[in-house]
C-alpha cells in the first residue's frame, strides 16, 4: 500500500529529488521502516512511456526550466540556456543515464594528497576512503546488477565496441572490455536482459537498464513507508529559531504553494538545483543561504573533463545498434603526471542518433566540412572522454537575475576550464583519434563537450567545516537535520562516471540517518 | 518555367510526397515555389516566392547534402512563411542580397557557384538572421524521419525487438 502522509506530520524525512541519490535514499530508508515523503519536480514516466526518438524523449524527460550560463566554456555560447542535459522526472537522470558503473580508484578519494596542490584548483581529500566505501560499493553493484561484478557476465560487444576494441588493442591498451554496466546481461532482479535496442539515453523500454524510476521507487512505495509526490517543486527549506530545518515549501502540480513539515530534510536535486535551493532559502538567521557558513554552497562545480571522438571509416559501422556506452578503455585512468596533467580519464564507447549527431558533432558548424561528416554517419564510430576535472572556487552556481515559472531566481552556472582540464582533454583527443586511426579511420573529429551530464561538487564534503558544506555522511556542517544526498556532495570528481558512487553514498547515508534517528540524535 | 509545369498541384498542397529529380528551384510567380518538374511545391502566403527561394538556397548552402532532395529542405524552412516572421525574413534576405550586389552578383540566389554563395553567407554569419536559420535547420532538417534512411540511420527499434537478432554486432570487415 502506497503511503500518504499529512502535511503537518513532522516525523517524516523529506527528500527533495528522486534521482540516483534521492530515489535510492528514499527506498533504503523506507526499507528500514523510516517514513519518507519524496518531492519530485517532474512527472512519472515508465518504460511503456519512453520513446525511441531523441528529440521527443528529450522533450518528455529533460529539465527545461530556465537556467543561465557564464564563463569561457563553449557550452555557454552554444547552449546558453542549457548548461546541463539532465532529467526532470521521477527517477531523475537515471532514466537518461547510460549505465556505466565503475568504482573510484583508491587514490582518487585522496586527490590533494596524491596530486599535491595544483595552482588555481581547490583540491581537497574526501573525508572517506576506499576501504570505508568498499562494502557500500558491493551493495550498490548488487542493487544495480552491474555486469562484470559479482557473478554477473559482461555484455556482448556491439559494432561500435568492436571497432573501439580493435583500435585499442592495436595501440597496446590492455584494460579494454564492454564495461561494468547497470544493464542486465541476463535476467536479473525481475528485469530482462538487454535487447540491444540502442536507446539507453532515452529511457530503456525493456527495463534492462537500472533506473530508480522502476526499481527503487516502486520497491520503496511497496513498503508503505514512502510517499512520492510528483510535480512537486520545492521552493524553499524552512527552519526554526534554533537553526534546525522544520520542513519545506513546494509548488504542487496545480501551482499552489504547500508546506510539508519534516524531521529531517535531504537535498537531492542534482548539482545545480541543490545549491540553488539552499541559496534561495536564505533567511535573517542564514543570510547567505542554508548550510553556507563556509561560503562553499554552489562553489567548486565539476562536470568531468569530457569531449568525444567520432571517426569515419570506409565501410559501415552502424554504431547506433546496441548499447550506447558498453565499452571502455581504462589504461589512461591512472594518475601519471608525466602525461602533463594530474588525474586520469576513461574512454567509453558512445553513439548518438542522427538528430543528436547533427546538434552535437560541432555545434554551430555548417558547410561541407560539417555535412560531409554526417554524410558518412553510417560509417561512423564514436567514443566519449570522461576524466577528472579540477574543482575551482569560481566555477559553480549563483542565483541569476532571471526567474523561473514560480518567480524564483534560477541557477546561473559559471564554468572555466582549468589548464589541467585542457591538457587532459587534448591528450584524450589524441589518444582517441589514434585508436580509430589504428583501425583505418579516414577522418576523425575531436568533438567538444556536450551540455553537462555529470554535475558534481557544489555542496562538497569536507573533514573541516570551513572547507565544505557537509561531513562524511552528507550531513551539513551547519544544520544537523539537513543532508546533501546527491552528486553535489562530491569532494572531487575522479575519472569515473559518478552514479555508482552516488548510489553507494546514498545507501550508506540511509544507514547513518536511520541509526542517528533511533539514537535520538536527529 | 511555365504554369504548365505546375499542373496537378492544388493550392492546398504544400508539398507533394512524390520523389523529386533534382533540379534548380524556381519561383513560379503564382504564390508558389516549385521544382521545375513539378515534383514538389511550397505555397507561400505571406512572404514572397523570391524570399522563400532564397531561404531554400540558404538551407542547401548551410547544410549541403547532395543526396538529399530539395523537398526536405523546403519542409525545414516553410515555417518562415508566417506573419510573425515576415519582417525578419524580408530584412534578412535584403541584407544578404545587398551583400551579393556589393560582390558583383545580381542577388544571392543568382550567384551560380556554391563557393561564392558560402562567402556571402560567411559575411552575415554572426547576424541573428543567419543564426536563426542555421539553428532552426538542425532540427528542421535532421529531425525529419523521412531524411534518416538517406543517411542509413534506422531510428526507432523497440517495436522490432531491438538489434539483438538484427545485426548489433554484424560488422564483418575488421
Ligand atoms: C545522457 C546521460 C547519460 C549518463 N550516463 C551515465 C553513465 O553511464 N554512468 C553514470 O555514472 N552516470 C551517467 N549519467 C549521469 C547520471 O545520470 C547522474 O550523475 C545522476 O543521475 C545524478 O544523480 P543525482 O541524484 O545527483 O541527480 P538526478 O538523478 O538528476 O536527480 C535529481 C532530481 O531532483 C529533481 N529536482 C531538482 N530540483 C528539485 C526541486 N526544487 N524540487 C523537487 N525536485 C527537484 C529533478 O527533477 C531530478 O528528478 C548520465 C547522464 C545523462 C544525462
Ligand atoms: S540497448 Fe539495452 S539497455 Fe540500452 S535501451 Fe536497449 S535494451 Fe535497454
Amino acid at each position: 500500500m502506497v503511503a500518504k502522509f499529512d502535511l503537518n506530520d513532522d516525523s517524516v524525512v523529506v527528500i527533495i529529488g528522486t534521482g540516483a541519490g534521492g530515489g535510492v535514499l528514499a527506498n533504503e530508508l523506507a526499507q528500514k521502516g523510516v517514513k519518507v515523503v519524496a518531492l519530485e519536480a517532474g512527472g512519472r514516466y515508465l518504460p511503456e512511456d519512453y520513446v525511441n526518438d531523441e528529440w521527443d524523449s528529450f522533450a518528455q524527460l529533460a529539465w527545461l526550466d530556465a537556467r543561465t550560463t557564464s564563463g569561457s566554456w563553449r557550452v555557454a555560447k552554444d547552449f546558453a540556456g542549457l548548461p546541463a542535459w539532465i532529467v526532470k522526472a521521477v527517477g531523475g537522470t537515471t532514466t537518461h543515464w547510460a549505465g556505466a558503473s565503475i568504482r573510484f580508484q583508491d587514490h582518487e578519494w585522496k586527490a590533494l594528497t596524491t596530486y599535491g596542490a595544483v595552482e588555481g584548483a581547490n583540491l581537497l581529500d574526501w573525508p572517506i576512503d576506499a576501504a570505508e566505501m568498499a562494502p557500500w560499493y558491493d551493495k550498490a553493484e548488487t542493487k544495480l546488477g552491474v555486469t562484470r561484478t559479482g557473478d554477473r557476465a559482461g555484455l556482448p560487444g556491439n559494432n561500435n565496441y568492436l571497432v573501439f576494441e580493435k583500435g585499442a588493442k592495436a595501440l597496446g591498451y590492455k584494460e579494454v572490455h564492454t564495461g561494468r554496466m547497470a544493464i542486465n546481461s541476463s535476467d536479473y532482479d525481475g528485469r530482462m536482459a538487454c535487447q540491444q535496442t540502442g536507446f539507453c539515453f532515452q529511457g530503456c523500454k525493456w527495463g534492462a537498464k537500472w533506473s530508480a524510476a522502476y526499481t527503487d521507487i516502486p520497491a520503496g512505495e511497496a513498503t508503505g513507508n514512502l510517499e512520492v509526490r510528483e510535480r512537486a517543486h520545492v521552493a524553499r527549506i524552512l527552519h526554526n529559531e534554533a537553526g534546525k530545518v522544520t520542513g519545506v515549501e513546494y509548488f504542487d502540480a496545480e501551482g499552489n504553494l504547500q508546506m510539508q513539515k519534516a524531521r529531517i530534510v535531504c537535498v537531492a536535486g542534482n548539482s545545480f538545483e541543490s545549491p540553488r535551493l539552499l541559496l534561495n532559502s536564505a533567511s535573517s538567521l542564514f543570510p547567505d543561504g542554508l548550510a553556507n557558513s563556509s561560503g562553499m554552497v554552489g562553489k567548486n562545480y565539476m562536470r568531468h573533463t569530457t569531449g568525444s571522438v567520432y571517426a569515419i571509416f570506409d565501410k559501415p559501422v552502424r554504431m547506433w545498434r546496441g548499447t550506447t556506452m558498453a565499452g571502455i578503455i581504462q589504461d589512461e585512468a591512472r594518475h601519471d603526471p608525466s602525461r602533463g596533467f594530474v588525474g586520469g580519464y576513461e574512454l567509453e564507447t558512445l553513439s548518438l542518433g542522427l538528430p543528436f549527431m547533427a546538434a552535437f558533432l560541432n555545434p554551430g558548424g555548417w558547410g561541407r566540412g560539417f555535412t560531409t561528416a554526417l554524410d558518412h554517419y553510417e560509417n561512423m564510430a564514436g567514443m566519449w572522454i570522461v576524466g577528472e576535472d579540477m574543482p575551482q572556487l569560481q566555477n559553480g552556481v549563483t542565483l541569476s537575475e532571471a526567474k523561473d515559472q514560480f518567480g524564483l531566481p534560477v541557477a546561473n552556472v559559471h564554468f572555466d576550464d582549468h589548464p589541467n582540464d585542457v591538457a587532459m582533454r587534448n591528450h584524450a583527443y589524441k589518444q582517441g583519434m589514434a585508436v580509430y586511426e589504428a583501425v583505418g579511420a579516414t577522418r576523425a573529429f575531436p568533438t567538444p563537450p556536450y551540455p553537462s551530464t555529470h554535475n558534481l561538487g557544489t555542496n562538497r564534503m569536507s573533514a573541516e567545516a570551513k572547507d565544505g558544506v557537509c561531513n562524511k555522511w552528507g550531513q551539513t556542517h551547519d544544520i544537523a537535520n539537513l543532508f546533501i544526498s546527491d552528486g553535489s556532495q562530491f569532494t572531487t570528481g575522479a575519472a569515473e562516471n559518478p552514479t555508482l558512487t552516488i548510489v553507494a553514498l546514498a545507501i550508506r547515508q540511509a544507514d547513518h540517518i536511520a541509526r542517528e534517528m533511533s539514537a535520538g540524535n536527529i | 518555367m511555365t504554369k504548365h509545369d505546375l499542373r496537378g498541384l492544388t493550392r492546398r498542397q504544400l508539398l507533394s510526397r512524390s520523389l523529386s529529380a533534382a533540379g534548380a528551384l524556381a519561383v513560379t510567380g503564382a504564390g508558389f515555389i516549385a521544382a521545375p518538374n513539378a515534383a514538389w511545391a511550397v505555397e507561400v502566403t505571406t512572404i514572397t516566392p523570391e524570399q522563400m527561394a532564397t531561404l531554400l538556397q540558404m538551407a542547401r548552402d548551410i547544410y549541403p547534402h547532395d543526396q538529399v532532395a530539395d523537398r526536405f529542405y523546403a519542409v525545414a524552412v516553410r515555417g518562415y512563411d508566417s506573419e510573425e516572421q515576415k519582417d525578419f525574413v524580408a530584412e534578412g534576405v535584403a541584407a544578404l542580397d545587398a551583400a551579393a550586389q556589393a560582390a558583383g552578383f545580381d542577388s544571392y540566389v543568382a550567384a551560380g557557384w556554391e563557393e561564392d554563395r558560402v562567402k556571402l553567407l560567411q559575411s552575415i554569419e554572426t547576424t541573428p538572421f543567419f543564426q536563426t536559420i542555421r539553428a532552426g535547420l538542425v532540427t528542421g532538417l535532421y529531425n525529419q524521419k523521412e531524411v534518416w534512411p538517406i543517411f542509413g540511420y534506422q531510428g526507432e527499434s523497440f517495436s522490432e525487438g531491438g538489434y539483438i537478432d538484427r545485426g548489433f554486432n554484424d560488422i564483418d570487415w575488421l
Side-chain angles (χ1 to χ4, degrees), chain B residues 33-53:
Chain B
I33 164 167
N37 63 354
W40 61 270
V42 184
E43 180 193 42
V44 284
T45 56
T46 315
I47 67 173
T48 68
E50 289 77 11
Q51 287 165 345
M52 182 53 84

Side-chain angles (χ1 to χ4, degrees), chain A residues 52-56 156-159 162-163 166 194-199 205-206 313-318 320-322 353-355 358-359 363-368 370-372 374-375 377-378 439, chain B residues 60-67 114 118 121-122 125 130-131 134 138-139 142-143 145 147-148 150-174:
Chain A
N52 273 193
D53 180 296
E54 290 178 311
W55 286 116
D56 286 353
N158 68 351
N159 290 332
L162 294 169
V163 173
K166 178 121 195 235
C194 173
Q195 302 300 299
Q196 304 285 343
T197 53
F199 284 89
K205 289 190 73 66
W206 306 95
F313 298 84
D314 57 348
K315 298 198 186 67
V317 176
R318 302 190 182 101
W320 65 86
R321 294 185 183 175
L354 184 76
W366 61 280
R368 286 199 184 257
F370 179 81
T371 54
T372 53
L374 290 184
D375 283 340
Y377 175 74
E378 207 172 355
V439 231
Chain B
R60 283 223 80 104
D61 291 340
I62 292 173
Y63 291 122
H65 294 285
D66 300 334
Q67 73 282 33
E114 180 181 312
V118 163
L121 291 176
Q122 280 163 347
E125 195 176 351
F130 178 89
Q131 286 303 331
R134 189 204 59 73
V138 173
T139 45
Y142 297 109
N143 205 31
K145 287 193 174 60
V147 165
W148 297 348
I150 303 172
F151 293 88
Y153 179 54
Q154 292 171 284
E156 192 275 339
S157 84
F158 172 73
S159 66
E160 305 201 49
Y163 292 102
I164 193 151
D165 299 318
R166 293 191 312 132
F168 79 99
N169 60 357
D170 66 354
I171 195 160
D172 60 4
W173 53 265
L174 275 172

Side-chain angles (χ1 to χ4, degrees), chain B residues 42-87:
Chain B
V42 184
E43 180 193 42
V44 284
T45 56
T46 315
I47 67 173
T48 68
E50 289 77 11
Q51 287 165 345
M52 182 53 84
T54 306
L55 293 179
L56 270 161
Q57 189 63 59
M58 276 182 81
R60 283 223 80 104
D61 291 340
I62 292 173
Y63 291 122
H65 294 285
D66 300 334
Q67 73 282 33
V68 175
D70 285 338
R71 63 193 170 99
F72 298 110
Y73 290 90
V75 168
V77 295
R78 67 182 171 190
Y80 292 101
D81 179 38
S82 75
E83 205 50 53
E84 306 86 77
Q85 306 280 3
K86 195 176 145 192
D87 294 344

